[in-house]
Amino acid sequence: MSQPVHTTDVLIVGAGLSGVGAACQLRQECPDKSVMVLEARDSIGGTWDLFRYPGIRSDSDMFTLGYRFSPWTDPKAIADGPSILRYIHDTAKTFGVDKLIRLNHRVVNANWDSAEARWTVEVHRTDTDELFAVSCSFLYVCTGYYRYDEGFSPQFPGVDCFQGPVIHPQHWPEDLDYRDKRVVVIGSGATAVTLVPSLAESAAHVTMLQRSPTYVASRPASDAIADRLRAWLPTKLAYAIVRWKNALQAIAIFNLSRRRPEMMKSMLRKAAIKQLPDGYAVDTHFKPSYNPWDQRMCLIPDGDLFTAVRDGRASVVTDQIDTFTETGIRLKSGDELAADIVVSATGLNLLAIGGMQLEVDGSVVDLSKTVSYKGMMLSGVPNFAWTIGYTNASWTLKADLVAEYVCRLLKHMDAKGYAAVTPDAAGTTAANPFLDLASGYVTRSLAELPKQGDRAPWRLHQNYVKDVRLLRRGPIDDDVVFTPAVAADRARSIA
Ligand SMILES: Cc1cc2nc3c(=O)[nH]c(=O)nc-3n(C[C@H](O)[C@H](O)[C@H](O)COP(=O)(O)OP(=O)(O)OC[C@H]3O[C@@H](n4cnc5c(N)ncnc54)[C@H](O)[C@@H]3O)c2cc1C
């Protein structure tokens, strides 16, 4: 690798929601540290810049998807993609983080040198094709969880003979005209349930074709309690209260789903029946074979999907594809779906740590052999943090806590004169997969991901309250080895 041309204390990889939030907290909490943010794309915002399909929106509320330190003030609780992107840009500007970000910089490799107690990070400039190196003492990876270049697209039989376009929502063509067209959306996840009512506003008809149903729950697009509190209380206080309310509500719903699945199933079924037409085959199209929250639940604002079905603008078909034809899709049942456009909302391809290769003293780190420490560091990998948000609540609740922990850790190391910190998994057994979700995009990639251990701090909580205790208030020196700066200096002089 070439000699580093830039040096920084903390290098953040990725300028999406997590990377921008991490940089803001570092600016606030560790103003003496130099911070650089490298972003592979030509703009910031990550997910909220990449996805441009009609109706793109959050499916969690913005009081928990927003940062703890930057109140979400828009009246919408479930927000559209452009509003979320604007919020990320505004926050970056307010905290002076926009100046720290370098666009078109893809990190491809990072090697930890124990003698130097530093990372050398190899960077590819996607605009000029240059390769160069950056040296940092702490590497903080905020690269999200999926591949940006391509979504998951199964090979559908006969797809080549279909006369119309087949679109993946990750690459939505700006000029796609779907007005008065018959559209089939393949899939039943968050993207499909977002797209269907939105396309149905101007398409001739939209059919959601799913192999099997998903749990779909309606929730108000605005938050009445939040609106009232915001009218009475100072912005920051109202935001903090609503954030906690919604975080606790999400935990309660998740726990109830896990402990009393039958009760939750019955509640969801009754709510769907109420919003669908009389006599609708709710058990065929909205009754999954798994329990609520075994896979991510789909939230729809103000029941918009159910309304589109009720109005006859959209329909749901639960069947399997036999083959594409010139004019649509033939199903295993023998039925045919006529289509002018097909949208393959079939999901994402998981990608850990943005596809970078990690090395420690020249040896490649096999992620699947590492154990995740507090859901944010890796066993045997020094001065490294990685943000993976919750799968059962808003991503940012966890991302914010990870950033808080990194700031605490850096301050602790400075106060004690430590150059390096390495999680040591000697006392735990790698017992469980990293993510406890049966969704396709998770199960397809579990083998490549780190494991979680059988006890704290190696077990993932997926629970905000427990993580506040662990990451905001818990000890900082449990199951880690600190290397004093003097030891690193000595090793450097011997080397
Ligand atoms: C359509 C969609 C809707 C979603 N809705 C919700 C929701 O409502 N609630 C929720 O909690 N979660 C949701 N999620 C999950 C969502 O990804 C997170 O909420 C959040 O946006 C993740 O932010 P991030 O910054 O961690 O990752 P991302 O948004 O993925 O950003 C990662 C950034 O890192 C950059 N990057 C990646 N690799 C490299 C590299 N090697 N070098 C340099 N830069 C790199 C990328 O270009 C990108 O800009 C949704 C996801 C999708 C796809």
Side-chain angles (χ1 to χ4, degrees):
M1 205 181 291
S2 48
Q3 280 300 311
V5 293
H6 298 288
T7 297
T8 182
D9 292 326
V10 183
L11 180 69
I12 296 174
V13 188
L17 192 60
S18 306
V20 167
C24 291
Q25 292 212 49
L26 278 158
R27 286 288 75 217
Q28 294 294 104
E29 295 300 318
C30 306
D32 297 339
K33 296 269 173 222
S34 53
V35 176
M36 185 187 284
V37 186
L38 299 184
E39 167 54 54
R41 300 179 70 239
D42 61 3
S43 51
I44 73 166
T47 299
W48 303 105
D49 184 71
L50 176 76
F51 280 84
R52 301 287 175 123
Y53 58 76
I56 170 79
R57 58 161 172 81
S58 66
D59 60 1
S60 33
D61 71 276
M62 288 309 300
F63 305 101
T64 53
L65 192 61
Y67 304 113
R68 178 168 176 246
F69 54 85
S70 177
W72 173 260
T73 51
D74 191 298
K76 287 169 280 192
I78 305 277
D80 55 273
S83 303
I84 302 173
L85 183 59
R86 208 173 314 121
Y87 170 77
I88 298 173
H89 275 275
D90 290 349
T91 307
K93 202 155 182 229
T94 305
F95 286 80
V97 157
D98 50 345
K99 297 182 197 79
L100 308 176
I101 301 170
R102 294 172 189 222
L103 301 174
N104 300 307
H105 284 59
R106 173 180 299 284
V107 173
V108 286
N109 182 286
N111 180 42
W112 171 260
D113 182 336
S114 295
E116 292 287 333
R118 290 190 78 80
W119 288 97
T120 302
V121 174
E122 194 178 353
V123 183
H124 173 224
R125 273 202 68 156
T126 52
D127 51 350
T128 60
D129 216 23
E130 276 170 273
L131 273 181
F132 63 93
V134 177
S135 163
C136 66
S137 59
F138 198 94
L139 181 62
Y140 189 172
V141 173
C142 297
T143 50
Y145 64 105
Y146 62 88
R147 273 176 73 160
Y148 269 65
D149 54 345
E150 56 174 40
F152 177 67
S153 296
Q155 252 316 314
F156 297 116
V159 68
D160 291 339
C161 72
F162 179 59
Q163 301 280 293
V166 179
I167 313 284
H168 195 286
Q170 197 160 326
H171 305 286
W172 194 269
E174 223 175 287
D175 55 353
L176 184 76
D177 183 7
Y178 54 89
R179 266 173 311 162
D180 303 321
K181 301 270 169 59
R182 294 160 304 176
V183 185
V184 173
V185 177
I186 303 172
S188 59
T191 300
V193 303
T194 303
L195 263 170
V196 169
S198 179
L199 295 174
E201 282 172 18
S202 54
H205 188 80
V206 184
T207 307
M208 182 166 108
L209 170 60
Q210 55 180 13
R211 203 165 40 182
S212 53
T214 302
Y215 287 106
V216 176
S218 174
R219 101 179 258 173
S222 54
D223 185 324
I225 297 178
D227 292 344
R228 227 164 294 150
L229 287 178
R230 289 199 284 196
W232 294 337
L233 297 174
T235 309
K236 278 192 175 165
L237 180 60
Y239 182 65
I241 295 171
V242 179
R243 201 166 195 268
W244 266 109
K245 168 185 85 68
N246 291 1
L248 293 175
Q249 197 177 39
I251 293 172
I253 291 171
F254 180 79
N255 287 346
L256 187 64
S257 302
R258 284 284 157 104
R259 285 180 200 148
R260 306 279 302 276
E262 295 309 319
M263 183 179 166
M264 186 53 94
K265 280 185 200 174
S266 159
M267 282 162 58
L268 289 167
R269 185 172 182 274
K270 280 188 192 143
I273 288 172
K274 236 192 220 167
Q275 296 171 80
L276 287 162
D278 286 345
Y280 188 82
V282 67
D283 290 342
T284 308
H285 303 309
F286 290 104
K287 186 181 170 195
S289 54
Y290 57 86
N291 283 336
W293 273 115
D294 280 357
Q295 297 187 20
R296 206 177 158 104
M297 200 183 288
C298 288
L299 297 177
I300 51 171
D302 295 332
D304 61 358
L305 174 68
F306 295 140
T307 306
V309 171
R310 205 172 53 230
D311 294 350
R313 292 177 286 119
S315 46
V316 181
V317 170
T318 306
D319 205 327
Q320 289 189 41
I321 295 173
D322 178 23
T323 182
F324 273 63
T325 63
E326 283 188 9
T327 54
I329 299 176
R330 189 180 319 126
L331 302 169
K332 290 244 164 99
S333 64
D335 289 349
E336 298 234 10
L337 293 177
D340 303 307
I341 299 171
V342 173
V343 180
S344 170
T346 39
L348 307 162
N349 280 315
L350 231 73
L351 182 69
I353 61 168
M356 338 166 5
Q357 175 165 279
L358 280 188
E359 293 171 26
V360 173
D361 294 323
S363 301
V364 175
V365 175
D366 177 351
L367 282 189
S368 70
K369 302 253 162 45
T370 63
V371 189
S372 162
Y373 172 80
K374 298 185 179 175
M376 53 155 295
M377 293 172 83
L378 296 176
S379 59
V381 184
N383 290 18
F384 174 89
W386 179 29
T387 296
I388 286 289
Y390 293 125
T391 49
N392 61 353
S394 280
W395 181 276
T396 320
L397 289 171
K398 177 73 180 285
D400 273 359
L401 285 176
V402 171
E404 268 186 73
Y405 191 87
V406 168
C407 293
R408 279 181 69 201
L409 183 61
L410 293 176
K411 285 192 219 173
H412 177 82
M413 288 169 68
D414 281 352
K416 301 275 182 186
Y418 296 140
V421 55
T422 313
D424 177 5
T428 190
T429 313
N432 298 301
F434 186 57
L435 295 173
D436 179 22
L437 264 193
S439 305
Y441 71 93
V442 174
T443 51
R444 280 196 296 275
S445 305
L446 269 184
E448 296 146 36
L449 296 178
K451 305 288 176 283
Q452 54 169 313
D454 55 350
R455 61 170 182 84
W458 301 92
R459 243 187 104 88
L460 251 78
H461 289 136
Q462 296 285 2
N463 177 306
Y464 183 62
V465 175
K466 287 184 181 171
D467 277 340
V468 165
R469 259 183 245 134
L470 179 77
L471 297 172
R472 184 176 298 159
R473 310 203 197 293
I476 209 124
D477 54 1
D478 47 344
D479 290 9
V480 290
V481 176
F482 286 109
T483 311
V486 280
D489 286 346
R490 202 173 309 128
R492 204 174 305 135
S493 64
I494 292 166

